[in-house]
Every structure is written in C-alpha cells, then in structure tokens.
C-alpha cells in the first residue's frame, strides 16, 4: 500500500513539473495505445494475463502477485474503452482507508475536487473529471470488501 501511495505522489510530482497538457492515461500508459501495446506494457511491469477471466473479444484481465489489485481492460476493435483496478483487501476498515488515500492522492494530483454522490461508511463514490476522461473510485463494503478504480476515456463515451 505504501508503494501505491508513493507511486501516486510521484505521478503528481511529474504532472506538476510538466507544463503542456498530457493526454488521458492510466498510470503513464496513454489510452491511445492499442490493446496489444497496453498488454505488452503491463506485462513489462510484471503483470500476467489471466486467460480464464479474460474475454478475448471484449476484455483482458491482468494480475501481478506482488500487487493488491487486478486490472481489467475493456476494449473494442483494439481501442481501449475503460480500465478498472479491483483491489483485494481483507477488511472493511482497510478498504475505507485505502479509498480515502486514493481520493486524497487524486485530489492533489489533478488539483480538483471530486463529485461525491454517495458518501456513506460502507458505500462511497468519488468521480474526477480530468478533461480528457473520468476517474471513478467506488467503495462497496457489504459481505466482501470491494474497492474499484475506473478510468474511462471521454472520446469513447459516445
């Protein structure tokens, strides 16, 4: 978890140093990449394709045993539509804490306040408009703690 927070801080520092507008991206990988390029880049980062959970025509699921999340990439005709991280944490308290850390990190990184339509103890949602896309944080603590982060490109919203 500390690595994730440090990575978010590093991304925020990098974004603050850049003067020109950077296109919407997922952890430094542009949404303009083809699905094959995206998968190759994720494999280079230590992730592997989970062929059982993937749908060859619409989605690809990537996992890394060293990370606490899985990545699902939805696509159409080799164009990325959305990327979703699903975190696997053991308790409701740990998901609440991580949701807050991610929200605070994105507020600083994007220098923007999120739209939070739901802010209950066990169900929270924060939506950030980045200009080129949306980042949504969703916490659902019911029977199994679930935290997801979804990146959606506005170009593909049509």
């Amino acid at each position: 978890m500390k690595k994730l927070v440090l990575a978010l801080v590093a991304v925020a520092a990098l974004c603050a140093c850049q003067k020109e507008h950077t296109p919407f991206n997922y952890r430094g990988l542009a949404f303009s990449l083809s699905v094959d390029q995206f998968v190759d880049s994720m494999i280079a980062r230590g992730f592997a394709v989970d062929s059982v959970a993937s749908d060859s025509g619409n989605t690809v699921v990537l996992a890394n045993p060293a990370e606490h999340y899985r990545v699902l990439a939805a696509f159409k005709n080799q164009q990325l539509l959305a990327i979703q991280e699903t975190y696997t944490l053991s308790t409701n308290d740990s998901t609440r804490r991580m949701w807050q850390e991610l929200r605070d990190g994105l507020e600083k990184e994007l220098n923007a306040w999120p739209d939070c339509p739901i802010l209950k103890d066990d169900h929270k949602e924060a939506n950030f408009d980045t200009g080129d896309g949306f980042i949504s944080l969703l916490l659902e603590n019911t029977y199994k703690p679930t935290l997801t982060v979804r990146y959606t490109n506005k170009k593909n919203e049509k």
Side-chain angles (χ1 to χ4, degrees), residues 21-35:
H21 174 72
T22 56
F24 187 60
N25 68 73
Y26 167 75
R27 295 186 182 255
L29 299 175
F31 263 73
S32 59
L33 292 174
S34 71
V35 173

Side-chain angles (χ1 to χ4, degrees), residues 55-138:
D55 174 359
S56 62
N58 300 314
T59 62
V60 62
V61 176
L62 301 139
N64 181 345
E67 299 293 342
H68 295 287
Y69 63 91
R70 295 167 59 88
V71 176
L72 179 140
F75 61 92
K76 184 176 182 181
N77 300 327
Q78 286 293 311
Q79 179 62 45
L80 288 170
L81 301 175
I83 298 171
Q84 179 174 297
E85 297 175 344
T86 303
Y87 288 81
T88 54
L89 300 167
S90 59
T91 66
N92 288 349
D93 287 340
S94 60
T95 54
R96 283 186 204 108
R97 189 172 32 255
M98 184 163 219
W99 183 90
Q100 190 65 49
E101 289 171 0
L102 288 169
R103 179 181 174 247
D104 293 346
L106 285 168
E107 275 183 15
K108 289 178 184 175
E109 177 184 338
L110 301 171
N111 196 24
W113 291 97
D115 173 32
C116 296
I118 301 170
L119 279 177
K120 299 178 182 176
D121 279 345
D122 290 324
H123 189 182
K124 299 180 185 210
E125 186 176 340
N127 300 307
F128 292 89
D129 186 344
T130 67
D132 293 342
F134 298 104
I135 301 174
S136 299
L137 298 166
L138 182 62

